[in-house]
Amino acid sequence: MGELLALAAEAAGGQHHLSAVQLPVSLVMLTPIVQALHHRGPLLAAAGAGLRVMASAPLHGGELPGMVDQELADLIRPGLTPAQACILAVASCPGVTNVLLAASGAPHWKEAADAVAQPSLTEDKLREITGVLASP
């Protein structure tokens, strides 16, 4: 992140004008989540630099809800659909300020909005989820 900010400042001829960064974060790409839970990595570095962090691809191109069963969704938060559980996990990741996603229609937008309206998952819960997903 430091290198990115230095390059942005150089390109701007002084102080950078970045206000946000976009990074892929999902339950398929666990590295950013695990790094943030260990208080390191690009998500927290960007947040620490005062940037908004927009998590993209929270549903891994629409593939993730078909890969997540209801048991995992219930581990994340009982009563959520697999898609909602995946979105909530990303939205709860330390450093993430926004979640970017595409929806095929109004019902999917409502489902996503309902997910991010949920109380955030705790870091302990995120650690539990990443531990389950990382185990063989």
Side-chain angles (χ1 to χ4, degrees), residues 9 12 21 25 53 73 96 102 116-118 121 127 133:
V21 293
V25 182
V53 177
V96 169
V116 296
Q118 295 277 320
L121 301 172
R127 282 187 192 90
L133 292 172

Side-chain angles (χ1 to χ4, degrees), residues 57-74:
L59 298 179
H60 198 65
E63 295 177 21
L64 197 49
M67 298 165 58
V68 172
D69 62 16
Q70 193 59 49
E71 183 179 2
L72 177 57
D74 287 342

Side-chain angles (χ1 to χ4, degrees), residues 6-91:
L7 288 170
E10 181 182 326
Q15 187 174 355
H16 74 79
H17 302 285
L18 293 178
S19 61
V21 293
Q22 175 182 330
L23 301 162
V25 182
S26 76
L27 294 180
V28 171
M29 299 173 283
L30 288 176
T31 300
I33 298 172
V34 171
Q35 288 175 335
L37 290 171
H38 287 94
H39 308 286
R40 58 184 175 82
L43 300 176
L44 289 183
L51 301 176
R52 288 183 17 236
V53 177
M54 299 183 186
S56 61
L59 298 179
H60 198 65
E63 295 177 21
L64 197 49
M67 298 165 58
V68 172
D69 62 16
Q70 193 59 49
E71 183 179 2
L72 177 57
D74 287 342
L75 171 67
I76 295 169
R77 171 85 32 89
L80 296 183
T81 67
Q84 288 176 312
C86 294
I87 292 167
L88 178 60
V90 169

